[in-house]
Amino acid sequence: MSSSLILVNGDNKMISDLTMAESGVPMGTAIQGLNESPPANFNGSPSAVSDTDDESEDDSVARPEHITHRRRLQNAIFSKWLSVRAEKVTKEEINAEIQTTDDATLSIRNLVSKQESKAHIEDAREYQTELFERAKKQDIIAVLDTGSGKTLIAVLLLKHMLDQEIEDRKNGKPMRIAFFVVNCVTLVFQQAAVLECNLRYKVDRFCGNMNTDLWTKSVWEKHFKENMAIVCTAEVLYSCLLHSFITIDQINLLIFDEAHHAKKNHGYARVIKDFYMAELDLTKRPKIFGMTASPVDAKVDVIQAARELETLLHCQIATCANLSLLQASISRPRESVAEYAQLPRPHMTALCAEIDSRYNDMESLSRLLRFAKEAASELGDWAADHLWSAAFADGEAKKIEREVEQEHHAAQEERPVQALDASLARIREAQELVRSHDFPDILFDGKSISSKVMCLRGYLNSVFENETDDRCIVFVKQRYTARLLNDIFKRNANKNIRHEVLIGTSSADAGDDKVTVRRQFLNLNKFRKGELNCLFATSIAEEGLDIPECNTIIRFDLYSTLIQYIQSRGRARHKNSRYVHMAEQGNRQHIQALRDVRLGEVVLRKFCEALPADRLLDGDNYDIEKALAKERTYRTYTEPSTGAKLTYRSSSAILAHFVALLPHNHDTLLRPSYILTCEDMQYVCEVLLPETSPIRSAAGRPSPRKAIAKCSAAFEACLRLRKGGYLDSNLLPIYTKQLPAMRNAHLALSLKSTNAYDMRVKPDLWEQSWGSIPHELYMTVLALQSAHGLGRPSQPLALLTRFPFPKLPSFPLHLRPGIASEVLCTPLVKSFSLGHSLLPKLTRFTLRIYKDIFNKTYETNEERMSYWLVPVISKLPDDLENAQPESVVDWPTVRLVDEKEELPWSIEVPNDHLSNRYLIDRWDGGRRFFSGHVVPELKASDPVPEGSAAHKYMNSIIDYTVSLFSKSRAKATWRMDQPVILAHRVLHRRNWLDDWSEAEQTVKTLSYVCPEPLKFSALPTTIAAMGYLFPAIIHRLEAYLIVLEACSKLDLSIKPHLALEALTKDSDNTEEHRVEQIHFQRGMGKNYERLEFIGDCFLKMATSISLYAQNAGDDEFESHVKRMLMLCNKNLYGTAVKIRLYEYIRSQGFSRKVLRTWYPEGIKLLEGKGFKKTGREVLKHQLNDKTIADVCEALIGAALLSYSDTGTMDMAVRAVTVFVSNSDHTAEEWDDYYKLYHLPSYQTSPSTAVQLSVATQVESIHLYHFKYPRLLASAFMLAPSSPLRRDRVPTYQRLEFLGDSLLDMACVNFLFHRYPDRDPQWLTEHKMAMVSNKFLGALCVKLGFHRHLVMNVHTSHGNQIQDYVMEITEAEKDSNGARDYWVTTTKNPPKCLPDIVESYIGAIFVDSEFNYKEVERFFETHIQWYFEDMSIYDTFATCQPVTRLHYRLTNELGCTNFRLMAQELPCILEGTPVKVVAAVMIHDEIITDGIAASSKYAKIKASLQTLEVLNGLAPFEYRAQFRCDCSVNKMGDDSCDPLFAEKLGSGF
């Protein structure tokens, strides 16, 4: 183990036969020296000694740190810009954004607000003012035709009442509120938008879709306090009154829209009957204003119905006194009758007849059979057959199967599973029958399509003969009719007809999609804008919809009542509009219907005209008391403390609400069961409640009607629940919806929040070994693997400790620029026995190292020495670990150093004895030299040769050698005949763990010195050379020992190099990838980033498995929240702080700040820097909270990788338990997970034939045999099971929750080991491709899993899946074997497709008894092939705008001085989403910004705009435009001339 010394003269000529280093390396040995204190026995005056510090000259090679200051400056710039930008985000800007946003991305509220500009009401007409004045004086029902402006009268009345309310509040009266009550959800949003545009008071809207039934009294009180008026459905108001959230005397105005609904048990009627009339003090009753186009909505006597409505609402019907004014203000459509040829009687087509003959006993097909008969007559045979085709399509057939399952499990008697299998088999048989049927193409010849449809087709083709702005609504009675007409016209040749359906949101059946309120609004908006021009609508479109553009109304199915006629006619708002009655030739019922509506309208008009304005409201011939007498026989209960009211009618809803909130498995919807028995012509009902209910049943009183008997049973149950305290004083359940308590907890930690924490400097191991004189020591040899890299000969040292030293990994030292060598730490097995005199010699040798090399004088105290140093022979034995320690010690050197403190020099010493010596400046501890040889031609008095290392005294060589102060120098005398030695000064270098800086490489070391003033150390130069490396070595060894102590404290066995990596933070912003690191600590080795990445993934998987195993009753949301509570940074941080993990984190490199921390602990420093300090060295380091949490995840990753060669994950499981510190994760090893799992009954129940068949089919795709096929059934179960199933198969949600984490782990594991040098950001970006919905959706189709998906009867996934399957299949076919074909598709897969891939992975994991190898096998078999070459997905990762911008700036333009910042703006416009503004700053200047609802999308917008700005710019143009010098600084002389670039760039 030898190396060569570079000796160079002033002319850089070789003057020694030793090996010369490359000329590019600074001349001299690469050994660092430190300033020292003078020798203790020096006879000069203390004042003559230089006070040079042993670390002071590090400043010459220090690296400037300006990043923090720059970031503070940039933050200030952004804050100033943000304050200006925020002022510009006005209501108009937000509204403009809503107007330009795609409808599909807007909420219902914002969809309506898009129409806001059209909702402003103009000045009131004369008849509107007339009715408004009457409404102020008395309660009225305004009967006006549709389109006549009834809502304006309501607005005027609201303004008047709310103005009065303000005065009343000012005068100290109690607060009251106005309610605008509507009949359907769509009108809630429409009317609220009108009020918001025309009132200056706060208005809000509520409907059942908002889950208002779950709100408490305090929530409602907050809304009542914040708003002056509320728009809601009747059910919402009734519920508020029922639970006494508000009382009738707290309402000042009730407006009933479409007031004709106020009858029987409608919500309008119940509000009046149960609460308005119950308030006997008339002064406390609210004012009532009703609006309707007709007070009649049934085939009854018009006058009688009008009088009943007046009496019930306690209002007078009022209309315009001068009807000519009304007729002049609204435009009535031109009415016509379109006759079509007589239709055949309802009949069966051949297909329908065959289905009927085989399956007419199946209840699930009976409704389809009935409608098919009707459709054959009304629509034609093609439509009747098409109904079956639609009903038995892939997705729709599963709805029928679900109905069959529900019927099976709802049966009161126990049925064998074989009966269900047989029923399902018959459904599939029927499906196959329909599929095999030869469906002819549609022919518009009057045969396959009915005359009625042909008539409609002819009329629509005439209206839309050319492209036109016309809008048409075709009214039908049934949803199926609307669907079939829509399908028929899809096959119509007229492309000018752009049609869609508008139907209600009620539950859909097979062949019928479920429609949401949102979808209704989207279709209506498209209709308004002209994207659609024809709607096939049910009665949902009759009431209240304001579509001024509509000019054609066709009653495909005639109306049943006068109000249907009036209201459907009112949809034709256009000036020149038409209303078409479609009637069958010779059909007397149709003729009579036409006559009835016309006559009824005439009678109604005459009735209204004849009403005297000043008449008393006496009900005329209608006796309300008699009408209410029957209801008064029904019992009620009023809660004394609150006034909450329980009635027969409300009891069923209250009981259902109570049952729904009972603790239960979330795959099941709980509901009460009613059992009816008949005794003596009276029905008695018993209601049965679920097992978790505190009351299991209640029986009602006998009643002649079934409905009343049910209400009686529910009423009794509610009374018992209230008596038992299970309903509170507002008649609300004491249970709440089972949402996890911490679902909204703030669990994030700030990246910017930092605290000062103690940092361990020394391991406890040293101190624990003190206290006695050792009789044996253990040796650890410290040797360089490539000693020649040092640039001069060296020999190993050994560390002697009182305990066996752990086997630690090697680590690199940077010996010369570009040359590194591993330090090998080899502990010997056998101990080193100490004789009586040996220990003092070892002690003196150790202290001599400190004294001569580092200028430190320590006390001799062997009881408190942590370790000893000893020289080791250069040629070490091959089996070093098992060698005798005594045999490898360099004993001659030990004896030499023990016998001589220094080698004396006199003029008689031969010159050749002066070569290869370690020389010490007695007065300047910072000057150490390795001598070369004597230069005979130079004298002590000669000038210092050119090229020598700088010194403060340079007059002569002897002057250069001496470091005394000037006064002492004047007294000193030296021999002028002494020789001159060429030497090399030892560099000031301690951190050999770091590469050489440019400044270090340019330091001159060549020196010419005289021997007399210098001390010749007894330490050989080989030992001194190795000794200079010791501070860096012991610093790293102690770091290993400290992190191993952390692992021991956590009871974790982790490999040392991984433990150190996990606990290493090398900059203030380690977690920010690909940005300039702040306060970067050099030479610390790998930091925790990559380990944190894989540890985070394992943490997610481990907690998911544990939750799945222990909490079978949790749904996915609960599991997600519980997992979040375990793996969130806040929890990890809390655990880490409790165990003081922050002390073990290594955040300081071997820099000036911590240089002295390598000093030996225990013995007292007598002389040298720091000798005044007492006690242990204590360091503080600044850590942000998230860093501490990240280190926890990194340790989990280290625990995982420590045993990756064996495949066991037990230690990682143990680490998760330690850090999450939660009862939901208690596993100590992997096998504990399955021990925690108790097989649920659904998993072990007998499998149906269908389930076994599916398992067999899937096994042919992936070679895994399910022991429990019902697990596989659950993996494909999108729809929830029937609430009455005894052996429910749950939906895939929990398996998907589990499989998602398992797949994540498999993908991360693959990337982590395949790409060991990639940073976490690259890994994350490329993992996104592997777990993206886009890829997993394609994989699902590739594996054919989509064919086995079990969907709900009401789901609309079927068509979406079909469209996606077609596109992805074509993409694969056209890809020519490309592995990334799935990236090219434009459609994203329906979410259920990627979900079932993950749920399948979860299923095989559970079925295999939690065998993770099965997950890996699935990954290797079906996923890995796509990602063997990750470079093809670089664009997938960088297509994300933020990543793309980073890549463009750094990689393509060479700029590093940029930032992307974001901050939330205050909410300016009530009801709009939160706004976040993001800005891109380049060289301290804001370039672009973006505003969005979240930080993520705001950054995307800002990045896209910046990319547009940068588009096409060449690097030199970019540098000129943005004054960027980043790339110029990096490229140096090879870069484009900055001046040229600036001139050229300025020309663009």
Side-chain angles (χ1 to χ4, degrees), residues 827-830 879-884:
L828 275 61
V829 175
K830 300 173 183 176
D879 187 13
L880 180 59
E881 288 187 18
N882 295 309
Q884 290 290 344

Side-chain angles (χ1 to χ4, degrees), residues 365-627:
L365 298 181
S366 60
R367 189 156 22 85
L368 283 169
L369 281 166
R370 285 194 300 270
F371 185 80
K373 292 178 185 179
E374 296 175 15
S377 170
E378 294 280 331
L379 305 176
D381 290 356
W382 183 92
D385 288 349
H386 183 73
L387 173 68
W388 293 107
S389 177
F392 279 108
D394 285 340
E396 301 300 312
K398 295 188 184 301
K399 296 180 183 179
I400 303 177
E401 292 180 14
R402 294 283 294 152
E403 288 184 7
V404 171
E405 290 187 13
Q406 289 174 0
E407 291 170 11
H408 174 85
H409 295 291
Q412 293 183 11
E413 71 276 7
E414 185 78 29
R415 293 181 181 178
V417 72
Q418 289 78 8
L420 174 60
D421 287 340
S423 298
L424 292 176
R426 294 183 69 196
I427 292 296
R428 292 193 177 91
E429 184 182 289
Q431 181 182 19
E432 190 56 38
L433 172 65
V434 172
R435 284 181 175 176
S436 62
H437 182 75
D438 184 15
F439 290 95
D441 293 336
I442 189 169
L443 297 175
F444 294 98
D445 57 358
K447 295 181 181 179
S448 62
I449 294 300
S450 72
S451 59
K452 187 176 182 180
V453 176
M454 290 296 293
C455 178
L456 175 65
R457 176 175 178 264
Y459 193 88
L460 289 179
N461 282 343
S462 299
V463 172
F464 297 104
E465 181 179 357
N466 299 309
E467 185 65 39
T468 177
D469 291 333
D470 287 2
R471 309 279 201 285
C472 173
I473 299 178
V474 180
F475 280 102
V476 299
K477 286 184 179 179
Q478 299 193 59
R479 299 164 60 93
Y480 275 131
T481 305
R483 293 282 186 199
L484 289 171
L485 285 175
N486 196 48
D487 288 343
I488 289 171
F489 277 85
K490 285 179 182 178
R491 294 159 174 81
N492 188 29
N494 191 342
K495 301 303 180 184
N496 293 327
I497 306 176
R498 300 180 294 277
H499 50 91
E500 192 45 87
V501 297
L502 183 63
I503 57 180
T505 58
S506 59
S507 299
D509 300 311
D512 186 16
D513 290 339
K514 181 173 175 60
V515 176
T516 63
V517 175
R518 177 180 174 76
R519 184 171 171 186
Q520 289 176 343
F521 272 99
L522 284 171
N523 283 344
L524 282 172
N525 271 4
K526 290 179 180 179
F527 188 68
R528 286 188 175 97
K529 293 188 292 186
E531 295 175 18
L532 298 174
N533 56 18
C534 180
L535 293 176
F536 298 106
T538 56
S539 59
I540 187 70
E542 288 177 350
E543 289 190 356
L545 296 182
D546 183 13
I547 309 173
E549 298 83 0
C550 182
N551 64 345
T552 302
I553 299 295
I554 301 175
R555 288 295 320 199
F556 183 80
D557 292 328
L558 287 179
Y559 26 77
S560 301
T561 63
L562 173 61
I563 192 64
Q564 285 185 339
Y565 161 65
I566 293 174
Q567 292 197 319
S568 62
R569 185 183 66 189
R571 296 316 106 215
R573 298 291 182 89
H574 199 270
K575 184 177 181 181
N576 296 311
S577 55
R578 56 187 77 88
Y579 187 89
V580 180
H581 311 253
M582 289 187 63
E584 185 182 16
Q585 292 176 357
N587 189 318
R588 293 183 179 182
Q589 290 181 340
H590 288 186
I591 295 171
Q592 187 61 44
L594 291 171
R595 289 175 179 172
D596 287 346
V597 296
R598 289 177 180 175
L599 179 60
E601 190 173 20
V602 171
V603 172
L604 179 62
R605 187 184 305 117
K606 289 182 178 180
F607 169 77
C608 293
E609 290 172 349
L611 290 175
D614 58 349
R615 68 193 174 94
L616 294 176
L617 187 62
D618 58 6
D620 293 334
N621 298 326
Y622 180 63
D623 187 352
I624 192 169
E625 291 299 320
K626 182 179 179 180

Side-chain angles (χ1 to χ4, degrees), residues 253-269:
L253 175 62
L254 280 174
I255 298 176
F256 291 109
D257 193 19
E258 309 296 350
H260 54 270
H261 289 295
K263 61 180 183 178
K264 297 183 180 179
N265 287 306
H266 189 276
Y268 290 178

Side-chain angles (χ1 to χ4, degrees), residues 1188-1218:
I1188 298 174
D1190 287 347
V1191 166
C1192 296
E1193 294 176 332
L1195 282 168
I1196 294 171
L1200 176 67
L1201 296 179
S1202 292
Y1203 301 90
S1204 59
D1205 53 341
T1206 64
T1208 177
M1209 295 186 277
D1210 292 345
M1211 193 56 60
V1213 172
R1214 165 70 187 150
V1216 172
T1217 297
V1218 169

Side-chain angles (χ1 to χ4, degrees), residues 1083-1328:
M1084 295 189 70
K1086 294 180 179 180
N1087 62 35
Y1088 65 74
E1089 286 180 310
R1090 279 176 55 90
L1091 288 178
E1092 183 259 336
F1093 174 72
I1094 196 169
D1096 172 75
C1097 189
F1098 185 86
L1099 173 62
K1100 175 184 174 183
M1101 179 183 73
T1103 51
S1104 300
I1105 295 172
S1106 184
L1107 285 169
Y1108 184 90
Q1110 295 187 80
N1111 300 282
D1114 288 357
D1115 62 11
E1116 182 192 18
F1117 181 52
E1118 283 180 312
S1119 297
H1120 171 78
V1121 173
K1122 287 182 178 179
R1123 183 177 69 185
M1124 177 180 66
L1125 291 172
M1126 284 193 283
L1127 56 78
C1128 69
N1129 287 331
K1130 191 172 184 178
N1131 182 48
L1132 299 178
Y1133 168 76
T1135 302
V1137 168
K1138 284 180 185 176
I1139 58 179
R1140 303 178 69 86
L1141 185 62
Y1142 50 77
E1143 293 183 359
Y1144 300 91
I1145 296 175
R1146 307 290 88 199
S1147 68
Q1148 301 292 337
F1150 199 44
S1151 60
R1152 286 192 63 201
K1153 184 176 179 180
V1154 295
L1155 270 179
R1156 289 189 294 275
T1157 60
W1158 74 268
Y1159 293 177
E1161 189 179 28
I1163 52 177
K1164 186 177 180 180
L1165 178 62
L1166 303 176
E1167 293 180 359
K1169 186 73 173 180
F1171 77 95
K1172 294 181 180 179
K1173 289 193 175 184
T1174 59
R1176 299 191 70 172
E1177 185 81 23
V1178 177
L1179 278 184
K1180 295 281 188 181
H1181 55 169
Q1182 293 286 333
L1183 299 173
N1184 63 51
D1185 299 346
K1186 186 177 183 301
T1187 294
I1188 298 174
D1190 287 347
V1191 166
C1192 296
E1193 294 176 332
L1195 282 168
I1196 294 171
L1200 176 67
L1201 296 179
S1202 292
Y1203 301 90
S1204 59
D1205 53 341
T1206 64
T1208 177
M1209 295 186 277
D1210 292 345
M1211 193 56 60
V1213 172
R1214 165 70 187 150
V1216 172
T1217 297
V1218 169
F1219 288 117
V1220 302
S1221 187
N1222 191 293
S1223 60
D1224 282 323
H1225 193 287
T1226 57
E1228 293 291 327
E1229 57 184 31
W1230 184 268
D1231 290 344
D1232 287 346
Y1233 289 136
Y1234 192 69
K1235 294 175 184 175
L1236 293 169
Y1237 182 61
H1238 300 287
L1239 274 67
S1241 59
Y1242 92 84
Q1243 182 177 331
T1244 57
S1245 296
S1247 300
T1248 66
V1250 174
Q1251 292 164 351
L1252 292 170
S1253 173
V1254 171
T1256 301
Q1257 295 175 55
V1258 172
E1259 187 176 344
S1260 66
I1261 300 167
H1262 177 66
L1263 195 59
Y1264 178 82
H1265 179 74
F1266 272 88
K1267 296 188 285 291
Y1268 301 105
R1270 294 173 67 83
L1271 264 177
L1272 181 62
S1274 178
F1276 293 149
M1277 183 70 69
L1278 173 60
S1281 295
S1282 165
L1284 298 176
R1285 277 187 85 144
R1286 299 178 183 85
D1287 55 348
R1288 297 182 298 274
V1289 173
T1291 62
Y1292 67 57
Q1293 287 187 340
R1294 292 189 72 241
L1295 285 173
E1296 183 265 334
F1297 169 81
L1298 176 63
D1300 168 75
S1301 64
L1302 293 166
L1303 177 60
D1304 255 20
M1305 189 69 234
C1307 294
V1308 165
N1309 207 39
F1310 168 77
L1311 290 173
F1312 189 90
H1313 291 95
R1314 178 68 66 93
Y1315 301 97
D1317 299 322
R1318 293 292 192 175
D1319 65 59
Q1321 183 163 333
W1322 186 94
L1323 296 172
T1324 301
E1325 289 168 353
H1326 288 73
K1327 186 199 79 168
M1328 286 166 52

Side-chain angles (χ1 to χ4, degrees), residues 887-902:
S887 67
V888 298
V889 176
D890 180 2
W891 293 112
T893 300
V894 173
R895 285 190 292 270
L896 174 65
V897 172
D898 182 57
E899 294 168 359
K900 296 185 178 181
E901 182 175 342
E902 63 177 285

